Amino acid sequence: MKIWLDGGLQDTESARVSVFDHGLTVGDGIFETVKAVDGRPFALTRHLDRLTRSARGLGLPDPDLDEVRRACAAVLEADPMPLGRLRLTYTGGHGPLGSDRGEHGPTLVVALGETTRRPDSTAVVTVPWTRNERGALTGLKTTSYAENVVALARARERGASEALFGNTVGQLCEGTGSNVFVVLDGELHTPPLASGCLAGITRALAVEWTGARETDLPLDVLERAEEIFLTSTLRDVQAVHRVDDRELPGAPGPVTAKAMRIFDERSGADLDP
Ligand code: PLP
């Protein structure tokens, strides 16, 4: 397998970044996960826009998007696969121990892994920890992901594939790596960005394509929603058939099934909307 590092393709096994890279030592980095279908990246322009927004939020120089595009094309060409996940990582680069960045400039790594289509439905749990809707990193896709790792481990212990967070004022926010939608009285809703959730690209497409409303939702909406689904790059639209101890028999319900169908049709037709 090939990986993009230091401006060119390298063998994944021998590619090296500094042990003093700030992405490693202090989590000073951002990333994107981009789906690639038959070697073509899905919604790459939207991912690159978000990468730039995240870089600015962290005070990193704007990434060279021409290089990122060339890197994606190069790794995809080097290792063809039907369904891939591109991982774009961009860090503060290597510097002195401590939190100050060094003089060396950022590190860009673009890697590719194979993935598979997710099941149509899944179980989720809620976790007692909160997302901070007003933090310095809110809305940025940073490599500071340890909280999500802990929450996901809790979900796995309970036989679920995702953990859902509320925010500090008790509203539904998002999953560790997904956004959440609920159906109430037949209408589709998702938490607004002000809830502290990531501006998911799949979320944005689902809102555009289904007309879902962005609504402040109390966390206990999960106890009464008629349907619940998740969106993410690797899940697409995925129904929820259990939330904590509550079963949602028949998932995907009609609204979710329609969203899945729309997503399948449109995302197949235009891979870079
Ligand atoms: N929320 C978080 C915290 C995420 O990490 C992700 C994706 O990794 C999402 C939501 C979903 O975003 P997207 O649809 O762009 O994959």
Side-chain angles (χ1 to χ4, degrees):
M1 292 286 290
K2 298 288 186 189
I3 197 166
W4 184 277
L5 175 67
D6 292 337
L9 277 184
Q10 302 192 20
D11 285 324
T12 303
E13 291 71 31
S14 53
R16 294 284 175 269
V17 292
S18 166
V19 292
F20 296 117
D21 193 282
H22 268 209
L24 176 67
T25 56
V26 294
D28 175 24
I30 57 173
F31 77 103
E32 287 293 322
T33 297
V34 184
K35 183 171 59 171
V37 184
D38 294 328
R40 293 172 62 206
F42 175 71
L44 184 58
T45 302
R46 288 180 189 245
H47 283 283
L48 297 186
D49 287 349
R50 188 170 63 187
L51 189 74
T52 302
R53 286 202 308 276
S54 297
R56 291 178 183 172
L58 247 68
L60 288 167
D62 281 6
D64 175 348
L65 298 186
D66 288 338
E67 182 189 348
V68 181
R69 282 185 185 276
R70 269 189 288 121
C72 292
V75 295
L76 284 165
E77 197 185 330
D79 293 294
M81 56 186 68
L83 191 58
R85 53 188 293 176
L86 287 162
R87 161 81 189 211
L88 285 45
T89 310
Y90 186 68
T91 78
H94 68 276
L97 284 176
S99 300
D100 293 323
R101 290 190 186 129
E103 302 297 312
H104 299 277
T107 305
L108 170 70
V109 182
V110 176
L112 175 66
E114 196 150 18
T115 187
T116 50
R117 199 182 155 93
R118 299 294 191 264
D120 281 352
S121 76
T122 194
V124 303
V125 297
T126 52
V127 285
W129 310 298
T130 52
R131 277 279 198 259
N132 179 358
E133 67 281 5
R134 288 145 63 107
L137 302 182
T138 303
L140 307 179
K141 198 161 165 64
T142 75
T143 55
S144 303
Y145 242 54
E147 185 174 61
N148 292 320
V149 172
V150 171
L152 192 58
R154 172 70 63 92
R156 300 251 192 258
E157 280 164 19
R158 297 173 59 191
S161 81
E162 181 59 306
L164 296 179
F165 288 92
N167 64 15
T168 67
V169 290
Q171 292 162 338
L172 181 61
C173 184
E174 65 175 347
T176 67
S178 62
N179 293 105
V180 59
F181 287 69
V182 298
V183 177
L184 295 169
D185 295 328
E187 289 215 341
L188 190 54
H189 301 265
T190 193
L193 298 183
S195 70
C197 67
L198 185 76
I201 285 158
T202 325
R203 170 191 180 279
L205 293 173
V207 167
E208 277 171 37
W209 291 344
T210 66
R213 303 229 307 256
E214 299 180 78
T215 313
D216 287 329
L217 301 161
L219 198 53
D220 69 6
V221 78
L222 298 173
E223 294 165 20
R224 53 194 159 81
E226 294 124 53
E227 299 176 39
I228 304 171
F229 67 77
L230 305 177
T231 59
S232 83
T233 293
L234 297 179
R235 294 176 192 268
D236 295 328
V237 174
Q238 188 180 42
V240 169
H241 60 240
R242 174 162 56 86
V243 51
D244 293 327
D245 294 329
R246 179 184 174 213
E247 302 284 342
L248 288 106
V255 178
T256 307
K258 190 172 168 200
M260 290 167 110
R261 211 166 43 244
I262 293 174
F263 200 84
D264 271 358
E265 285 166 12
R266 305 222 182 152
S267 63
D270 183 0
L271 288 174
D272 198 358

